[in-house]
Amino acid sequence: QVQFVESGGGLVQPGGSLRLSCAASGTIISDYVMAWYRQAPGKQRELVAQITRSSETHYWNSVEGRFTISRDNAANTLYLQMNDLKPEDTAVYFCNFRWANVEWGQGTHVTVSS
């Protein structure tokens, strides 16, 4: 059974940084295109970043230049480095396959506020 466990969220001031982690089990994430998603209060879940099997990356929703997605194959873990955080980045962050999402994990809460 595939499972994703996200961690690393928290409360941070505008301009601050956080590093999110997504530990995967039941699958090998380097075999797939993986992605980070987020869901802000009262809004639909949206795509934030993806990383391909060849480690090409792509970003959506105004995070390019501020967020960096990466992967540790040995640890089977996906990361999202978030810099220069803005209040509009406040959301619950999830990881999943880019295509054919499986059951979502609990996510990790990120709150950007002064």
Side-chain angles (χ1 to χ4, degrees):
Q1 181 180 357
V2 177
Q3 187 176 20
F4 299 116
V5 178
E6 301 90 351
S7 62
L11 173 63
V12 62
Q13 293 187 342
S17 298
L18 285 173
R19 188 193 193 205
L20 307 184
S21 300
C22 168
S25 59
T27 189
I28 299 174
I29 63 171
S30 59
D31 287 346
Y32 300 91
V33 181
M34 297 298 300
W36 282 97
Y37 302 79
R38 67 187 180 187
Q39 186 167 17
K43 295 188 177 181
Q44 290 191 335
R45 186 176 287 131
E46 64 182 14
L47 185 62
V48 174
Q50 75 174 32
I51 184 167
T52 70
R53 293 173 60 183
S54 58
S55 297
E56 293 178 4
T57 58
H58 191 79
Y59 301 90
W60 285 265
N61 292 301
S62 73
V63 307
E64 188 158 16
R66 301 188 296 121
F67 291 10
T68 303
I69 186 172
S70 63
R71 184 181 63 218
D72 183 333
N73 294 342
N76 205 33
T77 299
L78 189 70
Y79 298 102
L80 186 68
Q81 177 67 43
M82 306 188 297
N83 299 328
D84 190 25
L85 283 160
K86 305 177 185 299
E88 52 265 38
D89 296 318
T90 295
V92 182
Y93 285 71
F94 304 86
C95 66
N96 211 311
F97 298 115
R98 172 66 174 94
W99 309 108
N101 299 150
V102 296
E103 183 175 353
W104 296 92
Q106 300 268 0
T108 187
H109 291 252
V110 172
T111 302
V112 185
S113 175
S114 55

